[in-house]
Amino acid sequence: MNNKSIIINKDYDPIIVNTIIKRYWWWPILFVSLFTSISYFVLRYTKPTYESSMIIQLGNKDNAKDIIEVENVNMKGEDISPDIELLRSQFLFEKAIQLINYNVSFYAKGQFLTEEKYNSSRFNVLPFELKDSSLIGIPIVVKYSKGSLNLLYSLNGQKYKLTSQLNKRIKNKHFDLTISSSNPKLFEEESKENELYFTLNSVSSVSARFLPYLQVVPIDPIAKTIQISLKSNNPQLCYDIASAVATAYNKYDEEIKRKGSENILAFIDQQLDSLSGELKNSKDSLMQYQRRSNLPDPEGISTQLSSNISKLQDQLFVVQDEVRSLNTVYSKLKSDPNRLDVYRILPEMLGKSYETSLNGQLTSLYELLEKKENLLYRVTEDNSEVKALGTKINLKLSSVRRSVATILERLIANSNVISKKIQSFEGEYFQLPEKKMEFSRLKNIQDLNEKYFTLLTEKKVLYSISNAGYSSENRVLTRATVNSTPVAPNKKLIYGSFIFFGFILGLGVILLKYLTFNEINMIDDLKKLLPTEASILGGVPLSKSPMEFSQLVVSESPKSMLAEAMRKIRTNLSYINPNYKTIAITSSISGEGKTFVALNLAGIIAMSGKKTILLDLDMRKPKVHLGLNADNVYGMSGLIINQFSLEQCIQHSLLENLDFITAGPIPPNPSELLLSGRFKEIVEKLKETYDTIIIDNPPIGLVSDGIKILTDADIPIYVFKSHYSKRNFAFRVKELFEMKQLDRLNVVLNGVRSSKHSNGYGYGYGYGYGYGYGYYESDSLSKKEKAVKGIKKIITIFSKNK
């Protein structure tokens, strides 16, 4: 059969929807039940995940700034990104792991799940020494029974077993440890119920295990609040690690600030120690010279010169000191400095003329170096962000070097100018007495040392006050908490998602069945699919009596719904062609009920008094003889080839006026027999004796040899079967019309299911003109319908009698 492409039902059809729902309503229930079961097992065998979170606020306060107007170098900026990256870093996480002393992990392995017994294990392990680091993370099974302790583990493909007792040291080439238990009895019971084992941890292994589940997110950058959260299968472990991260951060932050302050004060103290010695020597030299020269008051005529020289020497000293300090800074910047080098340079610029111009650049360089150092805790040197920071650092370093070189050149020029002026004034001093000149020289040295010593002392006091007034205000706003309810898996979400998905999948099946619905179930379907040249004779109700093959049933139940349907078709035949003699009945494929329709239509016509004969031309799969309980020896195949006579082949049925000729033995060439002239002669001969000739044609959807017989018949009938025939079969009928092989056709819908709400064109079949009032006996009614009908009759009789 030449089937067209699959039909897709794009339009809404409530009748098809009703059919699909009635037939496939259980699919959504099936999928919902299936996915509910799946979600149950997913939840049953998925480890619960707990989350512990806390909120901290970063802050610092400089109480001395309002008094001395000096900002502490430890003061943090508004950007909290470096602190967040530090909290996320492996460096800080490892410090946190060290705080909780998580050296050993304990596990209990059940039939399906493995539970970590953090702080709840029935036994403890005290590791003295780990001799082989490759044992880290390897499960060491512990079995305890009747006072005997056994350890089993595998390493590098080799199995090891050690036997010992509780509280005794166990040594081998891999480790040295002791296993103890506060309750050996419970330990032994749990050892029998589950497989207990432990693993030896390292800080790096624990960090690699839990760091991916650490989340550090800013809540309010302006308020500098940060949330720290950690997820794990053990709630207590979540709590301890989250708390340890915050503690480790505070300790590290305080340690860094303390070291920075100590380094700056140590530098100032070192400079003061050096100057105090020089100041003492200068005072001693001046005093000794005065005693030796007997020069108590050198002031006099040379007061003005001395004053000028003193001022110039002061300026020269400051310039030379700045040159010396700047040379120190420049030398430290020649090689690539680290963050600590830049940090130590800052005190060199205290009170210098270039402090303002260089302080900002060095601070920016320090922040870039600090950011790179924090980033290296998490990534390697090859990381693109590290390289980008390195480029920024090199550019900033070049800028600082150029600034230092420019300032140094300017200071040297100033120093030369001042030196020349001093030389000029000193030239005038050569005319003064030698004692006065020496006194002035020593006095100037003393004054310079005193001024510089006083300057550094003031700086030390200011920085000490600033450092004392600075305080870190990092505080915990919300302490670490852990909820007894796991955050994952979410039971409501999983159940809801699985049930929703199952329901949608079930609806998808129903929708797919609707879109690909390809059955012909009612006469309205045929009207939509068949060409206008085809007329509808009617429908044949579905017989609920079990049949092995097509049978003649109208004679046995003349008042049944089936018999009335056949009478209606018989009546419609008279309207189509009142003088018909031949009726050819065919279908698309076997099983659509053409033989059943042929048998019962022949029977109903014979019951009307017309002499009728039924010819079985379906020689490939004959069934008429089965329906009439006759043999198939003498039939059409032998009659056409003149093997038998017409009288030998005609058989009489139990029904008056109904004769039949079976198909006979299956021939090798049925098509040639049907298209032969001998068949036409037989039909013409039968017309002389019979009023109606009904031909059971081969299905033309499979073979084409019956088309000629169908077109030659007075009334061609095409049979479709409800809930069996496909809509594609209607394309075959269209093809026959398009190819001009048919010019007329009559259609019967067989197997229409009865329904109390149906009409002649519905999914059921009723006739609507009084059959329900006892005109016929509906043997096609179900037991339930018969019971309802009987109850209604009893109520009616009871009402009348009353």
Side-chain angles (χ1 to χ4, degrees):
M1 182 177 179
N2 184 20
N3 291 338
K4 297 291 184 180
S5 59
I6 297 175
I7 296 177
I8 301 297
N9 299 308
K10 297 181 180 180
D11 299 329
Y12 173 73
D13 191 331
I15 300 177
I16 297 179
V17 170
N18 186 45
T19 301
I20 293 296
I21 291 176
K22 286 182 178 180
R23 189 178 299 178
Y24 302 107
W25 61 268
W26 52 272
W27 274 103
I29 297 177
L30 175 64
F31 278 111
V32 167
S33 302
L34 175 62
F35 280 88
T36 300
S37 301
I38 293 175
S39 60
Y40 169 77
F41 285 104
V42 168
L43 293 171
R44 175 66 178 82
Y45 300 111
T46 300
K47 288 184 179 181
T49 301
Y50 300 89
E51 182 178 20
S52 178
S53 61
M54 63 185 302
I55 299 176
I56 64 173
Q57 184 179 40
L58 307 183
N60 47 40
K61 188 175 183 181
D62 190 0
N63 296 314
K65 183 177 180 181
D66 296 335
I67 301 175
I68 59 175
E69 298 183 355
V70 174
E71 184 173 354
N72 194 284
V73 296
N74 290 321
M75 286 294 292
K76 295 180 179 180
E78 296 298 326
D79 187 13
I80 61 174
S81 299
D83 299 278
I84 293 176
E85 294 303 323
L86 178 60
L87 285 165
R88 292 173 178 169
S89 67
Q90 182 179 354
F91 166 77
L92 189 70
F93 196 78
E94 290 181 354
K95 287 183 174 292
I97 297 301
Q98 291 173 354
L99 292 177
I100 64 173
N101 195 25
Y102 190 52
N103 299 321
V104 182
S105 296
F106 302 92
Y107 300 92
K109 184 178 181 181
Q111 187 176 1
F112 297 102
L113 297 177
T114 299
E115 179 185 3
E116 182 173 3
K117 295 287 188 177
Y118 178 76
N119 288 347
S120 61
S121 175
R122 296 299 182 186
F123 67 97
N124 296 315
V125 176
L126 177 61
F128 292 99
E129 182 182 4
L130 179 61
K131 301 176 183 178
D132 189 349
S133 60
S134 61
L135 193 64
I136 292 176
I138 300 297
I140 301 176
V141 179
V142 180
K143 294 185 178 180
Y144 182 68
S145 178
K146 298 179 181 180
S148 178
L149 184 67
N150 294 319
L151 302 185
L152 301 94
Y153 62 95
S154 297
L155 184 63
N156 300 325
Q158 186 175 354
K159 295 183 178 180
Y160 296 90
K161 181 177 181 181
L162 300 176
T163 302
S164 181
Q165 294 180 345
L166 290 176
N167 301 316
K168 288 192 176 181
R169 293 182 69 166
I170 305 174
K171 297 181 181 180
N172 68 352
K173 62 181 180 180
H174 298 138
F175 54 74
D176 178 5
L177 53 82
T178 298
I179 296 180
S180 61
S181 176
S182 59
N183 194 328
K185 184 177 181 179
L186 293 178
F187 177 29
E188 183 174 358
E189 291 178 357
E190 188 173 14
S191 178
K192 293 178 181 179
E193 294 175 357
N194 301 306
E195 180 181 304
L196 304 180
Y197 67 91
F198 67 91
T199 60
L200 299 174
N201 301 325
S202 66
V203 173
S204 58
S205 66
V206 175
S207 175
R209 175 184 168 190
F210 290 104
L211 184 57
Y213 303 102
L214 175 69
Q215 288 188 337
V216 180
V217 294
I219 297 178
D220 187 348
I222 298 177
K224 298 183 180 180
T225 52
I226 300 174
Q227 183 183 47
I228 303 172
S229 60
L230 184 79
K231 293 181 180 179
S232 174
N233 300 123
N234 189 288
Q236 186 61 40
L237 186 58
C238 283
Y239 172 84
D240 290 348
I241 295 180
S243 301
V245 169
T247 303
Y249 171 77
N250 289 330
K251 287 185 175 182
Y252 180 74
D253 191 45
E254 292 176 0
E255 180 182 356
I256 290 298
K257 294 170 184 175
R258 179 179 55 80
K259 287 184 178 180
S261 301
E262 290 177 352
N263 290 334
I264 294 175
L265 289 174
F267 173 78
I268 295 177
D269 287 337
Q270 183 181 2
Q271 296 296 317
L272 287 175
D273 289 342
S274 176
L275 280 175
S276 63
E278 293 182 8
L279 180 59
K280 183 177 181 301
N281 291 333
S282 63
K283 287 182 177 180
D284 292 341
S285 298
L286 181 60
M287 187 179 298
Q288 290 175 2
Y289 180 75
Q290 285 180 313
R291 291 177 181 176
R292 189 172 57 250
S293 301
N294 195 18
L295 191 64
D297 183 15
E299 300 298 331
I301 302 173
S302 61
T303 301
Q304 187 63 37
L305 288 175
S306 178
S307 176
N308 292 337
I309 292 174
S310 178
K311 291 179 181 180
L312 290 173
Q313 285 179 339
D314 289 343
Q315 296 177 13
L316 181 60
F317 180 86
V318 172
V319 172
Q320 289 177 347
D321 181 72
E322 290 184 349
V323 170
R324 182 174 63 253
S325 299
L326 201 57
N327 281 327
T328 302
V329 172
Y330 190 78
S331 63
K332 291 182 179 180
L333 293 175
K334 280 186 177 181
S335 59
D336 292 337
N338 55 32
R339 180 175 61 86
L340 189 57
D341 292 334
V342 175
Y343 191 81
R344 291 174 176 173
I345 288 174
L346 293 175
E348 292 280 354
M349 300 184 300
L350 292 174
K352 302 298 188 295
S353 61
Y354 52 82
E355 180 179 1
T356 302
S357 58
L358 290 182
N359 189 55
Q361 297 186 62
L362 287 173
T363 301
S364 298
L365 178 60
Y366 174 82
E367 291 175 351
L368 289 174
L369 290 170
E370 184 181 30
K371 187 174 182 181
K372 179 180 179 182
E373 182 178 341
N374 290 336
L375 188 60
L376 287 174
Y377 287 133
R378 297 183 293 109
V379 297
T380 63
E381 292 282 350
D382 296 330
N383 184 271
S384 59
E385 190 174 353
V386 173
K387 291 181 179 181
L389 279 176
T391 302
K392 291 181 180 180
I393 289 172
N394 291 334
L395 293 174
K396 179 60 67 176
L397 189 59
S398 299
S399 175
V400 173
R401 287 172 179 169
R402 288 194 299 269
S403 298
V404 171
T406 302
I407 296 172
L408 186 61
E409 183 179 357
R410 176 175 54 81
L411 291 175
I412 292 174
N414 291 340
S415 175
N416 293 333
V417 172
I418 294 172
S419 296
K420 288 180 181 179
K421 289 182 178 180
I422 292 175
Q423 290 177 2
S424 176
F425 284 113
E426 286 179 345
E428 297 178 15
Y429 254 92
F430 288 136
Q431 298 176 1
L432 298 176
E434 184 177 349
K435 293 182 179 181
K436 289 185 179 181
M437 291 177 61
E438 183 65 16
F439 178 84
S440 298
R441 185 182 68 81
L442 296 175
K443 181 63 174 175
N444 289 336
I445 293 174
Q446 177 185 337
D447 293 341
L448 288 175
N449 287 334
E450 286 180 347
K451 288 181 180 180
Y452 194 43
F453 185 84
T454 302
L455 177 64
L456 286 180
T457 302
E458 291 176 354
K459 291 292 184 180
K460 179 180 178 181
V461 172
L462 291 175
Y463 190 79
S464 297
I465 295 174
S466 175
N467 195 44
Y470 172 81
S471 61
S472 176
E473 292 191 347
N474 296 341
R475 54 180 174 266
V476 177
L477 299 182
T478 303
R479 295 191 177 277
T481 57
V482 59
N483 198 335
S484 58
T485 303
V487 295
N490 189 323
K491 291 185 178 181
K492 292 183 179 179
L493 179 61
I494 290 179
Y495 272 122
S497 300
F498 274 71
I499 291 174
F500 176 76
F501 184 73
F503 183 71
I504 292 299
L505 198 58
L507 289 182
V509 172
I510 292 178
L511 178 61
L512 181 63
K513 293 293 183 181
Y514 175 81
L515 293 176
T516 59
F517 185 77
N518 194 27
E519 294 181 4
I520 297 174
N521 293 338
M522 60 181 184
I523 293 177
D524 282 345
D525 292 338
L526 291 174
K527 288 184 175 180
K528 293 177 182 177
L529 299 172
L530 292 174
T532 57
E533 294 86 350
S535 60
I536 307 296
L537 288 176
V540 177
L542 178 67
S543 177
K544 296 184 179 180
S545 300
M547 296 181 186
E548 184 179 354
F549 40 78
S550 299
Q551 295 180 354
L552 178 61
V553 297
V554 293
S555 59
E556 298 175 0
S557 303
K559 294 183 179 181
S560 66
M561 182 183 291
L562 176 63
E564 291 303 323
M566 286 299 175
R567 290 188 182 96
K568 183 177 181 180
I569 294 174
R570 182 187 64 189
T571 302
N572 290 337
L573 293 177
S574 300
Y575 289 115
I576 294 173
N577 188 348
N579 301 316
Y580 68 87
K581 294 284 288 186
T582 56
I583 300 173
I585 301 175
T586 189
S587 63
S588 299
I589 60 173
S590 177
E592 292 183 287
K594 65 177 180 59
T595 301
F596 179 80
V597 173
L599 282 168
N600 288 279
L601 182 59
I604 208 70
I605 292 176
M607 290 170 65
S608 69
K610 289 186 177 182
K611 193 169 179 60
T612 306
I613 187 169
L614 174 61
L615 308 181
D616 189 355
L617 293 187
D618 192 355
M619 297 182 184
R620 294 178 179 83
K621 199 173 182 180
K623 295 180 182 178
V624 170
H625 66 284
L626 298 174
L628 295 173
N629 195 22
D631 57 48
N632 193 28
V633 178
Y634 302 96
M636 293 299 300
S637 61
L639 181 60
I640 292 174
I641 62 175
N642 293 315
Q643 184 178 1
F644 309 112
S645 66
L646 185 60
E647 289 73 15
Q648 286 179 297
C649 295
I650 295 176
Q651 299 187 55
H652 304 286
S653 69
L654 298 177
L655 184 63
E656 186 180 359
N657 295 327
L658 178 60
D659 295 338
F660 63 94
I661 300 177
T662 64
I666 298 175
N669 56 343
S671 296
E672 287 76 8
L673 296 180
L674 295 178
L675 298 176
S676 67
R678 173 60 179 160
F679 173 71
K680 293 182 180 180
E681 294 176 2
I682 295 171
V683 172
E684 294 298 326
K685 184 69 175 176
L686 290 174
K687 287 181 180 180
E688 298 175 0
T689 307
Y690 293 93
D691 299 320
T692 305
I693 301 172
I694 297 179
I695 302 172
D696 185 6
N697 234 28
I700 63 174
L702 300 176
V703 294
S704 60
D705 47 24
I707 297 178
K708 178 62 176 172
I709 300 173
L710 190 68
T711 57
D712 290 343
D714 295 333
I715 297 180
I717 296 178
Y718 203 101
V719 176
F720 292 91
K721 186 175 182 180
S722 177
H723 297 281
Y724 183 83
S725 299
K726 305 302 179 184
R727 295 188 172 199
N728 306 58
F729 296 170
F731 292 140
R732 177 60 173 167
V733 177
K734 283 187 176 181
E735 285 181 353
L736 294 175
F737 276 98
E738 291 171 357
M739 297 170 64
K740 306 300 182 181
Q741 291 182 331
L742 284 179
D743 56 1
R744 55 197 171 85
L745 189 67
N746 305 282
V747 176
V748 171
L749 181 62
N750 182 35
V752 180
R753 298 177 183 178
S754 61
S755 172
K756 63 181 180 179
H757 299 295
S758 63
N759 51 43
Y761 301 101
Y763 278 90
Y765 193 86
Y767 298 96
Y769 45 82
Y771 297 137
Y773 293 92
Y775 180 78
Y776 62 89
E777 190 165 318
S778 180
D779 56 355
S780 63
L781 291 175
S782 65
K783 293 181 179 179
K784 181 179 179 181
E785 291 171 332
K786 290 180 179 178
V788 172
K789 183 178 178 182
I791 292 173
K792 288 182 177 179
K793 287 183 178 180
I794 294 173
I795 294 174
T796 303
I797 295 171
F798 179 80
S799 299
K800 289 181 178 180
N801 293 335
K802 187 176 180 180

